[in-house]
Amino acid sequence: MERLLKENFTITKVLIAYKNKLPMGRIRTLNPAPRPSHCLAYVVSGECDYYTDEGRTFTVNGGDVLYLAQNQRYVINVKTNDYSVIVMDFLFDTTDKLKSDCVKTDNPEI
């Protein structure tokens, strides 16, 4: 996420933006095809763990901003009944391999 915050990447195409509420429990496995696009998600409420195929693990909570890298495989484990996110899938102007991560924040203006 540090590279995303420090470098100037250009979003070349927004593919979809939506709000989603996920049920408690495991949602994905590492078996499906990797993400075809990048993703930024604002966690509206709840708590969830993400486990990536690179061995990274992070927990997100309401107010956090999540970045999921293109070509990433990951597992989602929703830990609460109220997990809700606002999601935007998009393409960048780079072919660099970026890493999924999250930013902890308590700033509701994000």
Side-chain angles (χ1 to χ4, degrees):
M1 183 76 84
E2 189 173 323
R3 271 191 77 197
L4 282 177
L5 297 173
K6 289 185 177 180
E7 294 184 31
N8 290 322
F9 293 104
T10 300
I11 293 175
T12 57
K13 184 174 185 178
V14 173
L15 303 173
I16 190 169
Y18 58 95
K19 186 174 182 179
N20 199 8
K21 183 174 181 176
L22 299 176
M24 195 158 65
R26 182 170 283 198
I27 305 298
R28 293 177 64 103
T29 68
L30 291 177
N31 293 332
R35 287 193 60 77
S37 61
H38 300 276
C39 171
L40 278 176
Y42 173 75
V43 181
V44 177
S45 63
E47 183 176 356
C48 185
D49 292 330
Y50 284 79
Y51 309 91
T52 72
D53 59 358
E54 295 175 328
R56 297 179 52 118
T57 301
F58 43 93
T59 299
V60 295
N61 294 283
D64 294 345
V65 176
L66 171 67
Y67 167 71
L68 295 171
Q70 184 178 32
N71 297 318
Q72 181 81 72
R73 287 188 173 92
Y74 54 94
V75 173
I76 301 171
N77 184 30
V78 179
K79 298 168 75 173
T80 59
N81 286 320
D82 64 338
Y83 186 68
S84 177
V85 291
I86 299 171
V87 176
M88 181 178 68
D89 289 342
F90 58 93
L91 300 175
F92 270 143
D93 63 346
T94 183
T95 57
D96 292 356
K97 183 164 174 59
L98 302 173
K99 293 183 179 183
S100 297
D101 207 347
C102 72
V103 172
K104 301 288 183 181
T105 178
D106 59 0
N107 182 354
E109 293 181 16
I110 289 182

